Amino acid sequence: MSDNYEDFQKEYLRLSGIDLTSYKENQMKRRIESFMEKYETSGYDNFLKLLKSDSEVYDKFITYLTINVSEFYRNPAQWQILEKEILPELMQKFGKRIKIWSAACSTGDEPYSLAMVLSDFMPLNQIQIIATDLDNEVLAKAKKGYYSEKSIQGLPKKYQDRFIERDKTGIVKVSDELRSCITFKQHDLLKDPYPQDIHIIVCRNVTIYFTEEAKQRVYTNFASALPVGGYLFVGSTEQIIGASKYGFQSVKSFFYKKQ
């Protein structure tokens, strides 16, 4: 194989099942080359040999690729719109047993935040949240529910008092009762079938890393997963250009309603 990025994409797809062609090329190449420098590896051929021979590096590379940046209750103003306007509307239309999908959930901060907000509307044993991510390593962390104090600094006190347990080392843990509301699964937005009959999909600050073609596939699939009246909640760095072609209408900043 020649030592170039296009061939690396093909070989890595065969190796991992992850299609790098769906990510913005210049951005992804910079990330990969930065990772290679860390392991003192030059050239894509040598890097592939390393990934194939060292399972620890292979796993670390997947975690690095998936760009895991998360915190509880990130961008509070958006969560308040969700709590005060979007969720009441959904419950009026669909009843309280609404299904939520936290797509590309990273270390779990987002689905746990969702469960906390939903607890103001219904008992915990009625909350149904599916949380998915490509990276098994971050999913394992999410399932355990351990975090740093810094990660919850934006979380309202009422939720901290009810759902967060602390120890003397500065490590915090979400309650077992809250963890039971969420089903964590591995899922690749770019190739796996999407959950269906979801009332609200939360996918924030993820598609900014995708090519335009990949974004179109993802938004089309999101629309098919939602009923008319369902919502897609995106990140503060994202805007869906031509939302109507997917059947979405922008209702509030970062909230798109299926028409």
Side-chain angles (χ1 to χ4, degrees):
M1 169 184 122
S2 60
D3 196 8
N4 64 54
Y5 181 65
E6 289 74 19
D7 287 335
F8 174 79
Q9 289 175 317
K10 294 173 186 175
E11 289 295 318
Y12 188 68
L13 176 60
R14 282 193 278 268
L15 178 66
S16 67
I18 297 172
D19 185 1
L20 297 179
T21 64
S22 294
Y23 294 83
K24 294 177 180 176
E25 181 173 319
N26 289 338
Q27 195 174 56
M28 184 55 68
K29 285 173 73 174
R30 286 196 298 270
R31 290 185 62 77
I32 293 172
E33 287 162 10
S34 176
F35 188 91
M36 288 165 61
E37 286 178 11
K38 180 179 177 182
Y39 286 89
E40 298 180 346
T41 305
S42 60
Y44 291 118
D45 278 354
N46 289 330
F47 185 46
L48 270 170
K49 290 175 185 175
L50 176 63
L51 292 175
K52 290 175 181 177
S53 63
D54 192 321
S55 60
E56 183 177 344
V57 175
Y58 176 91
D59 291 339
K60 286 183 181 298
F61 182 57
I62 290 179
T63 299
Y64 178 78
L65 277 185
T66 52
I67 316 169
N68 297 295
V69 178
S70 190
E71 62 188 52
F72 284 75
Y73 213 72
R74 189 177 183 184
N75 308 118
Q78 296 171 22
W79 286 92
Q80 288 162 19
I81 293 172
L82 177 70
E83 180 179 0
K84 294 175 182 177
E85 301 181 42
I86 306 300
L87 287 175
E89 178 187 328
L90 286 171
M91 289 178 190
Q92 183 176 12
K93 183 175 179 64
F94 298 108
K96 287 196 171 182
R97 290 217 176 239
I98 62 171
K99 289 175 66 177
I100 296 180
W101 177 21
S102 174
C105 69
S106 186
T107 51
D109 314 47
E110 180 178 272
Y112 286 129
S113 299
L114 286 165
M116 293 178 194
V117 171
L118 279 168
S119 72
D120 290 335
F121 295 89
M122 65 186 78
L124 288 179
N125 62 11
Q126 292 183 15
I127 295 173
Q128 301 179 69
I129 297 174
I130 302 168
T132 65
D133 201 273
L134 173 64
D135 183 357
N136 272 322
E137 188 173 323
V138 297
L139 285 173
K141 178 178 179 181
K143 289 175 185 177
K144 292 177 182 177
Y146 287 94
Y147 298 91
S148 67
E149 187 76 39
K150 182 180 179 182
S151 69
I152 64 162
Q153 62 186 7
L155 188 63
K157 186 176 184 301
K158 65 176 181 177
Y159 297 137
Q160 293 195 35
D161 291 345
R162 184 175 174 191
F163 297 115
I164 298 297
E165 302 166 1
R166 290 175 168 84
D167 66 20
K168 295 178 182 178
T169 67
I171 300 297
V172 300
K173 179 180 182 292
V174 296
S175 69
D176 291 342
E177 189 181 22
L178 192 76
R179 289 195 300 128
S180 67
C181 300
I182 301 165
T183 302
F184 290 100
K185 297 178 180 179
Q186 186 183 34
H187 182 270
D188 186 341
L189 283 170
L190 298 171
K191 71 173 186 178
D192 292 334
Y194 282 33
Q196 296 297 301
D197 303 316
I198 303 294
H199 299 106
I200 181 167
I201 298 170
V202 183
C203 185
R204 307 171 75 210
N205 306 315
V206 176
T207 62
I208 53 172
Y209 301 107
F210 294 164
T211 63
E212 288 305 313
E213 182 183 352
K215 285 180 187 178
Q216 290 171 12
R217 296 203 312 270
V218 169
Y219 292 142
T220 298
N221 287 332
F222 279 154
S224 71
L226 292 165
V228 172
Y231 274 91
L232 172 62
F233 177 16
V234 301
S236 57
T237 58
E238 293 163 316
Q239 181 181 6
I240 303 178
I241 306 300
S244 60
K245 69 182 177 184
Y246 307 108
F248 286 121
Q249 178 187 0
S250 177
V251 177
K252 294 279 182 180
S253 295
F254 320 114
F255 289 92
Y256 292 85
K257 186 175 183 179
K258 171 77 174 290
Q259 297 299 296

